[in-house]
């Protein structure tokens, strides 16, 4: 493993001559970093740019947000709704860079994402200069894959209209002229006929006096003249004794210790071409996982199960090639291992 200053260079992410991009790690703190070797230009700062940490010999060291992964992990499998959020964020960053006179073409390997956040790396380098709007279109096509025709921002990307990408979707509907509501037909008043006042109710004649005397019947009471003592039910007393025991058992069940993992979470690994085989080992697991480092998860292609969400550090071995370390976010889309 190569060392540059106080940083380990764990693996190469991309080669863009004369630029080489590494995934690195600070030897003092253990935090992940991105190292760009062969830099020529000046570092820039912005809300959507990776924070600049230090400059070394013809190299830049940028901060790598914890849990973030390169956008190249989602090539061909990106969710269209989340892709729209990433495209709008990158369009805003490109607009800000154009206002500074900087031409920057984003690359999938140099864009990190975590959830709905996106960061761009290498803005200000001569090796990454280019048409940012055309590069954003090609990047969206690669991420959406076969579903690019369904992407709602496709037309704005093809026109290279950053303003349309940043405008809210409701603006188009508000710009259309609205038709006036149809007029309701006028109702003609109906002729009103005066009603005659109601006649006062006639007084009812008084009831006739009864001709027969009232009869009062005195019958025997249904209840006996002495108190009735019912036999005690022993079943009720047993139920009263069982209630505290049931409450104690219910409390023990509710407050029983539970395992930390909430899995399993299925992770699908693919190889390209499918005939290739790749061994996937676990190097680091997130908090809450019971998996032990050094475990062979599976031999790809196939599906593995992990017991907790988070970021897993994996080592992928392909016969005849150098091993590659990889950060995998769970849950997430399938991972494709391309063997070249």
């Amino acid at each position: 493993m190569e060392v540059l200053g106080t940083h380990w260079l764990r693996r190469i992410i991309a080669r863009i001559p004369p630029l080489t991009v590494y995934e690195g790690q600070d030897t003092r703190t253990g935090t992940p970093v991105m190292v760009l070797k062969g830099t020529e230009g000046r570092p820039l700062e912005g809300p959507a740019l990776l924070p600049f940490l230090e400059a070394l010999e013809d190299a830049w060291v940028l901060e790598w947000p914890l849990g973030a992964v390169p956008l190249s992990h989602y090539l061909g499998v990106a969710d269209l709704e989340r892709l729209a959020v990433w495209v709008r964020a990158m369009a805003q960053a490109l607009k800000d860079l154009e206002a500074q006179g900087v031409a920057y073409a984003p690359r999938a390997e140099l864009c990190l994402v975590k959830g709905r956040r996106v960061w761009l790396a290498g803005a200000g380098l001569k090796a990454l200069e280019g048409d940012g709007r055309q590069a954003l279109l090609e990047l969206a096509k690669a991420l959406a894959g076969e579903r690019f025709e369904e992407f709602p921002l496709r037309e704005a990307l093809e026109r290279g209209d950053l303003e349309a990408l940043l405008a809210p979707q409701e603006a188009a509907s508000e710009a259309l002229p609205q038709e006036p509501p149809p007029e309701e037909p006028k109702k003609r008043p109906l002729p009103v006929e005066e009603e005659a006042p109601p006649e006062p109710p006639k007084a009812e004649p008084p009831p006739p006096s009864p001709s027969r005397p009232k009869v009062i019947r005195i019958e025997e009471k249904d209840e006996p003249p002495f108190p009735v003592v019912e036999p005690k039910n022993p079943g009720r007393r047993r139920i009263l004794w069982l209630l505290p025991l049931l409450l104690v058992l219910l409390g023990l069940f509710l407050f029983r210790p539970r395992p930390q993992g909430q899995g399993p979470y299925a992770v699908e690994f693919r190889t390209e071409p499918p005939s290739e085989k790749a061994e996937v080992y676990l190097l680091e697991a997130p908090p809450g996982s019971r998996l032990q480092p050094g475990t062979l998860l599976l031999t790809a292609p196939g599906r593995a199960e992990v017991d907790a969400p988070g970021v897993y550090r994996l080592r992928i071995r392909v016969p005849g090639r150098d091993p590659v370390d990889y950060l995998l976010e769970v849950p997430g889309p399938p991972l494709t291992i391309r063997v070249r």
Side-chain angles (χ1 to χ4, degrees):
M1 185 180 297
E2 186 179 354
V3 178
L4 180 64
T6 59
H7 303 89
W8 284 323
L9 306 182
R10 303 183 66 92
R11 68 185 183 97
I12 297 177
I13 300 177
R15 295 182 186 271
I16 307 171
L19 187 67
T20 305
V21 186
Y22 293 87
E23 176 191 355
Q25 187 176 12
D26 194 314
T27 58
R28 299 162 298 180
T29 62
T31 56
V33 295
M34 179 182 290
V35 180
L36 308 177
K37 292 187 65 176
T39 55
E40 184 179 355
R42 60 183 182 89
L44 302 177
E45 295 183 358
L49 304 181
L50 279 182
F52 178 80
L53 296 181
E54 61 177 315
L56 303 175
E57 298 179 2
D58 73 346
W60 291 357
V61 180
L62 307 179
E63 179 183 344
W64 188 305
L66 189 62
V69 296
L71 199 55
S72 56
H73 290 191
Y74 296 94
L75 291 176
V77 295
D79 178 71
L80 296 185
E81 181 180 357
R82 183 169 294 186
L83 177 59
V85 177
W86 294 339
V87 167
R88 289 194 178 98
M90 289 188 287
Q92 182 63 55
L94 291 178
K95 182 180 178 182
D96 296 341
L97 291 174
E98 288 181 358
Q100 303 176 36
V102 178
Y104 172 77
R107 309 290 182 94
E109 299 84 356
L110 299 181
C111 299
L112 301 185
V113 291
K114 179 181 179 182
R116 303 172 72 88
R117 288 291 309 275
V118 60
W119 296 270
L120 307 181
L125 292 177
K126 292 186 177 181
L128 300 179
E129 292 180 352
D131 187 350
R133 306 189 182 203
Q134 182 64 27
L136 184 59
L137 170 62
E138 298 300 329
L139 183 57
K141 286 183 178 180
L143 292 171
E146 299 177 354
R147 297 176 298 166
F148 183 70
E149 296 296 329
E150 309 169 12
F151 190 44
L153 304 180
R154 176 179 60 85
E155 295 182 359
L157 284 170
E158 292 175 347
R159 296 195 309 267
D161 191 350
L162 298 182
E163 297 294 340
L165 292 175
L166 300 176
Q169 295 181 352
E170 292 80 3
S173 60
E174 293 178 357
L176 298 177
Q178 298 182 355
E179 298 181 358
E183 297 182 358
E184 297 182 358
K186 297 182 180 180
K187 299 181 180 179
R188 297 182 179 179
L190 299 176
V192 179
E193 298 181 359
E194 296 183 358
E195 298 181 357
E199 298 181 358
K202 298 180 179 180
E204 297 181 0
S209 58
S211 59
R212 295 181 181 180
K214 294 181 179 181
V215 178
I216 300 177
R217 295 181 179 180
I218 301 176
E219 300 178 354
E220 291 184 357
K221 297 182 179 180
D222 294 336
E223 299 178 356
F226 51 86
V228 179
V229 179
E230 297 181 358
K232 297 182 179 180
N233 188 0
R236 295 182 180 176
R237 184 172 297 178
R238 294 178 182 175
I239 293 175
L240 294 177
W241 279 103
L242 289 175
L243 283 178
L245 179 60
L246 293 176
L247 293 176
V248 172
L249 293 177
L250 181 60
L252 293 176
F253 175 76
L254 293 177
F255 294 99
R256 72 189 188 278
R258 299 180 180 179
Q260 297 180 356
Q262 299 294 332
Y265 295 87
V267 183
E268 184 178 354
F269 292 83
R270 305 169 180 173
T271 58
E272 186 177 323
S275 58
E276 294 289 344
K277 301 294 182 182
E279 296 178 346
V280 181
Y281 292 87
L282 175 65
L283 297 183
E284 297 178 15
S289 174
R290 294 186 173 182
L291 297 178
Q292 298 296 326
T295 305
L296 175 62
L297 292 180
L298 83 160
T299 300
R303 178 174 296 181
E305 291 186 351
V306 296
D307 57 353
V311 178
Y312 291 78
R313 185 175 293 275
L314 309 176
R315 176 160 293 172
I316 302 173
R317 295 181 179 273
V318 177
R321 291 171 175 82
D322 295 335
V324 175
D325 294 350
Y326 184 79
L327 292 174
L328 176 66
E329 183 179 5
V330 176
L335 175 62
T336 301
I337 303 172
R338 291 186 174 90
V339 181
R340 299 177 180 176

